[in-house]
Amino acid sequence: MKNYKITHLRELENESIYVIREVVAQFEKPTMLFSGGKDSIIMFHLARKAFWPAKVPFPLLHIDTGHNFQETLDYRDGLMKETGTTCIVSLVQDSIDSGRVVEETGVNASRNKLQTVTLLDAIEKNKFDCAMGGGRRDEEKARAKERFFSHRDEFGQWDPKNQRPELWNIFNGKKRIGEHFRVFPISNWTEMDVWQYILLENIPIPNLYFNHKRKVFNRDGVWLAYAPFMQLKPNEKVEEKDVRCRTIGDITCTGVTLSKASTLEEIIKEIAATRITERGGRADDKRSETAMEDRKKEGYF
């Protein structure tokens, strides 16, 4: 990797570590959202660097839809055991069973939107005053409106028109009782930065990101991984293809990419050549023109 690229990645690394340390300095009970996806993996890696040789001084929080890829759950459990880190798992199924949310039905049913209530309940139950997330400004247009420190009101909602200025990396974490913050330490990273950093730091990631054979089906031009609980339309058929994931979430809405890339170097070359955005295969973003922003206003990641 060329020296100027390494310098750029180290500058991003230093900025993210600074933000994470600011969170610990300003908040009494922070947490870090962890899904087992590449963004949360490098965010946790940065947190470990920020406080090394001590352990990360806050727990992780995973909102489990019950429809996750098993590979990410196995990766999460292995990483927590290896690092001795506490990971609190809150289940969307519990929210369904308690009547807090109603499960969607039909061929396009997904639990992705239901995560919002489970997340807000977990923040309230554990009295977290800050939740760090792996959102990046290049992911989706609503993400680009976020500050590093993103205020949430007492209902967990976000107002994109009422955010605090962040001049000279001075962050304002002041809040009233019942309010909390979402903080995005890797906000200035791009998808390419993430992959190059994973290569530079030799960070282990789930095998979902590399070429593997999987049962998939095509829906409206997007290849989706097949799971037994998913309902197919009459014209859809399950096939086995060579695929990999660019982004990982709930199986029902996470598109996969037809790909032969089996190494980090091949993934980086593939991303450099593609004209499809990282979230171009996310079915949940296609529900409306403002799908992501609407969910964020309600308290989504």
Side-chain angles (χ1 to χ4, degrees):
M1 193 176 295
K2 295 180 180 178
N3 288 336
Y4 75 88
K5 290 182 180 178
I6 295 175
T7 300
H8 170 67
L9 293 175
R10 293 304 180 202
E11 288 174 350
L12 289 173
E13 177 188 68
N14 290 337
E15 177 183 62
S16 298
I17 288 174
Y18 172 75
V19 172
I20 293 170
R21 287 173 175 165
E22 276 292 299
V23 166
V24 172
Q26 293 197 39
F27 297 99
E28 293 181 8
K29 197 172 182 185
T31 185
M32 178 174 281
L33 300 172
F34 187 86
S35 66
K38 64 184 186 305
D39 296 328
S40 64
I41 289 170
I42 71 160
M43 192 168 60
F44 178 56
H45 180 83
L46 291 163
R48 294 180 68 195
K49 277 197 160 190
F51 303 105
W52 184 265
K55 289 185 178 181
V56 172
F58 45 76
L60 305 188
L61 175 62
H62 181 206
I63 307 302
D64 187 346
T65 67
H67 292 166
N68 296 100
F69 290 93
Q70 186 59 45
E71 292 92 332
T72 57
L73 300 181
D74 293 342
Y75 177 92
R76 176 200 70 193
D77 294 343
L79 183 61
M80 296 308 103
K81 183 177 180 180
E82 176 189 341
T83 60
T85 305
T86 299
C87 183
I88 299 168
V89 180
S90 292
L91 306 174
V92 171
Q93 185 64 52
D94 289 345
S95 299
I96 295 171
D97 293 342
S98 65
R100 293 281 292 147
V101 295
V102 177
E103 186 156 23
E104 295 180 359
T105 59
V107 293
N108 293 312
S110 173
R111 290 184 173 183
N112 198 54
K113 187 176 180 180
L114 307 186
Q115 294 180 85
T116 299
V117 172
T118 310
L119 172 61
L120 293 175
D121 286 350
I123 289 173
E124 175 64 24
K125 177 182 177 181
N126 293 281
K127 304 302 179 185
F128 292 130
D129 54 1
C130 174
M132 288 174 274
R136 306 189 323 268
R137 291 196 176 113
D138 73 320
E139 276 186 280
E140 198 274 344
K141 55 190 176 183
R143 304 275 200 193
K145 297 181 180 181
E146 292 274 19
R147 301 285 196 267
F148 278 107
F149 275 41
S150 184
H151 175 262
R152 297 299 197 270
D153 65 21
E154 64 269 28
F155 301 105
Q157 296 179 329
W158 171 64
D159 182 1
K161 295 180 180 179
N162 184 26
Q163 297 192 80
R164 299 169 181 180
E166 293 180 345
L167 305 176
W168 306 289
N169 282 346
I170 298 175
F171 303 119
N172 182 354
K174 292 183 178 180
K175 58 179 182 56
R176 297 184 181 93
I177 294 174
E179 298 176 342
H180 72 277
F181 273 76
R182 306 289 173 82
V183 174
F184 303 95
I186 62 170
S187 193
N188 282 335
W189 297 54
T190 66
E191 182 188 12
M192 181 63 81
D193 293 330
V194 168
W195 284 113
Q196 290 180 335
Y197 187 72
I198 289 171
L199 176 62
L200 178 65
E201 293 284 289
N202 193 28
I203 303 171
I205 56 175
N207 59 15
L208 287 169
Y209 284 113
F210 301 103
N211 163 258
H212 63 284
K213 289 191 179 294
R214 183 174 291 274
K215 290 182 178 180
V216 297
F217 63 96
N218 193 288
R219 175 169 293 172
D220 301 325
V222 175
W223 289 99
L224 294 172
Y226 173 73
F229 52 79
M230 297 175 73
Q231 185 178 337
L232 298 177
K233 297 179 181 179
N235 64 328
E236 294 172 343
K237 64 176 182 178
V238 177
E239 309 172 56
E240 189 170 78
K241 297 277 189 179
D242 284 310
V243 299
R244 74 173 194 85
C245 293
R246 280 181 73 183
T247 177
I248 295 176
D250 189 286
I251 291 176
T252 58
C253 59
T254 301
V256 295
T257 302
L258 301 181
S259 173
K260 296 287 187 180
S262 58
T263 66
L264 290 172
E265 290 85 356
E266 289 173 348
I267 289 174
I268 289 170
K269 288 180 181 178
E270 184 177 270
I271 292 170
T274 189
R275 293 298 175 263
I276 300 173
T277 63
E278 179 182 4
R279 294 185 68 93
R282 288 296 293 264
D284 51 325
D285 289 350
K286 301 178 185 297
R287 293 195 171 194
S288 76
E289 283 295 315
T290 60
M292 172 62 81
E293 183 162 332
D294 292 341
R295 294 200 305 277
K296 287 178 72 65
K297 287 179 180 178
E298 295 169 359
Y300 189 72
F301 304 157

